[in-house]
Amino acid sequence: MVVPGIDNYQKYTGRKRLVLVLLAILILISSAVALNAGSMDLNLKQVIQAIMGQGSNVSDMVIWRIRLPRILAAIIAGAGLSVAGCVMQNNLRNPLASPSTLGISNAAAFGANLAIIVFGAGTIQSTSTDAVTINNPYLVTLFAFACSILATVVILILAGIRNFSPEAMVLSGVALSSLFSAGTILIQYFAQDFQIAAVVFWTFGDLGRTAWPEVTILAIIIALSFIYFMFRRWDYNALDSGEETAKSLGVNVERLRQGGMLVSCLIAAVAVSFLGIIGFIGLVGPQIMRRIIGGDHRYLIPASALMGSLLLLVSDTLARTMVAPVVLPVGAITSFFGAPLFLYLLIRGYQKK
Amino acid sequence: MILSVNGLAFDYPSRSVLQNISFSICKGNFLAVLGVNGAGKSTLLKCINGVLKPCAGTVLIQNDEATQLTRREIAKRIGYVPQRHEHFSTTVFDAVLLGRKPYIQWEASRNDLEIAQKALNMLELEEYSLRYLNELSGGEQQKVIIARALAQEPDLLLLDEPTSSLDLKNQLEVIRVIKRIIQTGHIGAVVSMHDLNLAIRFADKFILLSNGEIFAAGGLEVMTPENIQRVYSTPVKITEVEGIPVVVPV
């Protein structure tokens, strides 16, 4: 039976699916461009040969060891940060929420400072390529991760006391952020120049730190989180129409928030520990898609993920190629190009498609 | 019996809101909950569907104790239209489809879409189906929210001041729709109201709340000028205009 109303509605949701497909195609094209871009000139044939495992040793190495993990890290981390931002904006009912809202980034930065300055994981090297190296990256990652998880747990406990009200969560996030920033400043005050250089270098987000093990861990955590979020997509839609409405539709709002925050913070913690601080993707990815396909989380969650991947991948490719051979910090590039794009969408208003 | 409330009480930490509330309604009942601002009307509705947890008393929904039911099970039986709803950027169809939430496991089925469409038709919202909720007028939005509650296929509707922000025409339209749904759908409704004229004209059961307690409850016979005067501290007269009962403050 064809009911015109349902038919029209299905056409309308079909258009949203089309947007998802288009985004996926854009990511594939950007990945191809990114594989070809870089300081070593490889032509398309060499790239394809290397991917098939039939290239020369050098091109194999460049593609498999350097470019491919980096591209995958961009796609995975971009998706994770953006989807975490999407869920946080919904859960906290705050369009400004993003993975850094709850102080996770500051906590991770504090952990990195602790590792590099107090435990001596950073040093300086006078090679021409990199002035600064971190001689024990695992220690730094571990400390950053431990501190961001600590922040997550504290926020969840504090918010639990106040029944997970969004205000309580945002405010405890703000308080923790400044607490960790203050800690960082105190540590840095007693640090040596080269240690500060190493810390600042760590703080710039950089996708070049990832090799296959990191990419694998990121992929597993973010894939599981994505599945969890998709299972909750109707609950997020219900929450969008008000807390009382959500409850009357059978949603356990407190538990929903608890879970959403825990998983989003986990994504943020893993991403920031491995890659450093990459701002703006988590804020702007979901906001862009909200304006293009609307607030329905059935489509907004995957669309945010794809937009996050695309933004980070394009930013990273630009960061690598703009003033090659210097690789710019990708965190700066995401904001540099994301902000104008976002402002443009804001001025143009909502697109009603 | 769709709903039976026994000795229900609700306290906020600083003050008690409801005490010893008992009543019951059956299929086809339109129960108007009346009382001054702050009398506890909204709180009573929220205690019935578990949005707020009552601190004493029992709520029986179709003879099942509400505390024994999960939120999802309650949502399959009770549709709720809150006093204030937030207008986010979603289409009318999506907003109504959300009423299927308690039934949807992974994705909305064809059956869910059909029920949502039926609810839209019932409130004559077909032409707005793909319009955005925040582009509609207050009356249309209210109908969308009622349609969402209907898409839950409830046995009981809770409506919190469904007409208070509407103009004269929309007030009548919305209340007539509610009346029709109650009669044709064989469901019950608990409606908190401020407009005594609408209440006395359309409802068949009444609760007059005063300071969190039931001052009077029953059929049309409790709507006497004396009772109304006691509850609202305003002298009134009840007359008839062309066969329609009218409450006039004097």
Side-chain angles (χ1 to χ4, degrees):
Chain A
M1 186 181 64
V2 176
V3 182
I6 296 178
D7 208 37
N8 286 338
Y9 178 70
Q10 283 173 333
K11 275 183 199 146
Y12 162 79
T13 51
R15 284 199 292 273
K16 295 188 182 188
R17 277 190 213 103
L18 188 66
V19 172
L20 297 184
V21 173
L22 286 176
L23 277 173
I25 292 172
L26 278 175
I27 291 172
L28 278 180
I29 295 171
S30 311
S31 309
V33 172
L35 265 180
N36 279 295
S39 45
M40 183 177 163
D41 256 333
L42 294 174
N43 60 35
L44 197 60
K45 195 176 151 211
Q46 284 170 305
V47 171
I48 292 169
Q49 276 178 341
I51 288 178
M52 311 291 265
Q54 293 160 348
S56 67
N57 280 341
V58 181
S59 63
D60 264 8
M61 161 105 165
V62 167
I63 294 295
W64 279 98
R65 290 276 192 79
I66 300 174
R67 288 190 194 165
L68 212 50
R70 191 178 181 121
I71 288 166
L72 284 175
I75 291 175
I76 295 163
L81 290 171
S82 183
V83 94
C86 172
V87 169
M88 282 193 166
Q89 285 164 14
N90 169 276
N91 278 200
L92 299 175
R93 320 210 63 204
N94 186 336
L96 289 178
S98 75
S100 46
T101 310
L102 295 185
I104 308 298
S105 304
N106 282 323
F110 173 78
N113 273 274
L114 210 59
I116 290 170
I117 295 169
V118 180
F119 294 93
T123 182
I124 198 155
Q125 238 181 28
S126 48
T127 62
S128 57
T129 46
D130 257 341
V132 183
T133 57
I134 291 172
N135 58 18
N136 193 343
Y138 290 108
L139 190 68
V140 181
T141 303
L142 214 63
F143 268 73
F145 186 72
C147 282
S148 38
I149 289 298
L150 178 74
T152 308
V153 170
V154 170
I155 285 167
L156 286 177
I157 290 172
L158 288 175
I161 296 168
R162 295 301 307 273
N163 233 342
F164 296 96
S165 80
E167 299 80 27
M169 285 195 163
V170 172
L171 290 177
S172 17
V174 170
L176 276 190
S177 277
S178 50
L179 189 66
F180 280 112
S181 308
T184 303
I185 290 169
L186 282 179
I187 295 178
Q188 286 181 349
Y189 189 77
F190 295 104
Q192 316 250 357
D193 291 353
F194 71 87
Q195 290 173 323
I196 296 207
V199 159
V200 169
F201 172 77
W202 182 89
T203 316
F204 296 149
D206 179 14
L207 295 166
R209 289 173 207 165
T210 47
W212 286 106
E214 287 89 348
V215 170
T216 312
I217 295 173
L218 275 173
I220 290 170
I221 288 177
I222 287 169
L224 289 177
S225 309
F226 182 79
I227 293 168
Y228 172 81
F229 290 151
M230 283 305 278
F231 264 103
R232 290 270 167 270
R233 65 204 192 287
W234 288 95
D235 301 70
Y236 299 141
N237 281 347
L239 189 57
D240 255 348
S241 50
E243 215 164 294
E244 285 176 2
T245 302
K247 283 182 182 170
S248 76
L249 288 169
V251 178
N252 188 335
V253 174
E254 292 80 20
R255 200 180 299 159
L256 182 72
R257 280 215 176 95
Q258 204 177 355
M261 288 301 103
L262 181 66
V263 176
S264 312
C265 287
L266 186 66
I267 293 177
V270 178
V272 78
S273 311
F274 282 150
L275 307 170
I277 294 171
I278 299 173
F280 218 57
I281 298 266
L283 173 68
V284 89
Q287 287 288 1
I288 289 173
M289 291 323 295
R290 214 182 286 277
R291 279 167 174 73
I292 293 174
I293 65 162
D296 184 346
H297 286 78
R298 285 182 290 165
Y299 305 100
L300 184 60
I301 291 174
S304 298
L306 291 170
M307 181 45 91
S309 299
L310 187 64
L311 279 175
L312 193 52
L313 182 58
V314 170
S315 301
D316 186 54
T317 310
L318 285 170
R320 281 163 51 207
T321 51
M322 271 200 312
V323 283
V326 177
V327 178
L328 298 172
V330 68
I333 304 293
T334 50
S335 300
F336 214 78
F337 292 96
L341 177 65
F342 184 51
L343 288 176
Y344 165 73
L345 284 166
L346 207 59
I347 291 162
R348 217 188 51 168
Y350 282 85
Q351 190 184 335
K352 309 286 184 193
K353 285 266 172 188
Chain B
M1 198 90 76
I2 294 178
L3 174 72
S4 169
V5 175
N6 281 303
L8 183 124
F10 183 83
D11 297 334
Y12 281 119
S14 53
R15 69 189 182 99
S16 135
V17 184
L18 294 172
Q19 294 143 47
N20 198 22
I21 304 285
S22 301
F23 67 91
S24 62
I25 66 166
C26 305
K27 278 182 183 175
N29 275 155
F30 182 143
L31 171 70
V33 180
L34 303 167
V36 295
N37 289 324
K41 302 188 292 295
S42 303
T43 309
L44 175 57
L45 295 193
K46 288 179 202 167
C47 283
I48 293 173
N49 69 352
V51 167
L52 294 175
K53 292 267 167 276
C55 50
T58 55
V59 175
L60 294 179
I61 304 163
Q62 292 163 320
N63 300 320
D64 291 316
E65 178 138 14
T67 48
Q68 303 297 314
L69 299 171
T70 63
R71 275 195 185 161
R72 190 184 265 257
E73 283 167 331
I74 293 176
K76 288 180 184 177
R77 302 182 188 193
I78 301 181
Y80 172 58
V81 177
Q83 199 171 40
R84 278 178 296 273
H85 29 263
E86 284 149 67
H87 314 302
F88 58 106
S89 53
T90 181
T91 61
V92 169
F93 195 98
D94 281 318
V96 175
L97 186 61
L98 198 55
R100 298 305 296 162
K101 163 85 188 67
Y103 300 89
I104 292 170
Q105 294 298 336
W106 171 254
E107 188 51 77
S109 68
R110 177 79 193 182
N111 184 39
D112 292 320
L113 296 179
E114 278 168 10
I115 290 168
Q117 182 66 40
K118 222 167 73 188
L120 277 175
N121 296 348
M122 214 181 300
L123 287 140
E124 293 165 359
L125 291 164
E126 298 96 327
E127 55 177 312
Y128 301 112
S129 181
L130 292 183
R131 292 265 297 275
Y132 276 75
L133 204 52
N134 50 15
E135 293 171 355
L136 304 186
S137 74
E140 289 155 356
Q141 284 175 353
Q142 188 67 300
K143 286 189 210 163
V144 173
I145 306 302
I146 294 172
R148 164 156 75 211
L150 287 183
Q152 286 172 253
E153 296 190 308
D155 301 293
L156 176 68
L157 274 179
L158 304 176
L159 300 126
D160 201 350
E161 294 182 20
T163 57
S164 57
S165 62
L166 305 181
D167 63 37
L168 194 62
K169 174 173 174 285
N170 275 304
Q171 282 185 6
L172 272 176
E173 231 176 271
V174 164
I175 209 92
R176 281 199 172 115
V177 163
I178 294 167
K179 182 83 180 167
R180 202 179 69 222
I181 293 161
I182 294 169
Q183 285 169 342
T184 58
H186 302 294
I187 62 177
V190 181
V191 187
S192 82
M193 298 176 86
H194 273 309
D195 191 322
L196 294 173
N197 292 318
L198 285 178
I200 208 165
R201 182 169 167 188
F202 290 98
D204 53 17
K205 287 188 103 184
F206 304 87
I207 286 181
L208 288 165
L209 277 183
S210 175
N211 294 322
E213 288 182 77
I214 293 185
F215 177 80
L220 205 52
E221 74 279 357
V222 300
M223 295 299 281
T224 60
E226 296 73 35
N227 282 346
I228 293 172
Q229 179 170 348
R230 291 281 291 283
V231 168
Y232 288 92
S233 316
T234 307
V236 297
K237 257 192 174 155
I238 298 180
T239 74
E240 274 195 11
V241 179
E242 300 192 2
I244 299 164
V246 184
V247 181
V248 188
V250 287

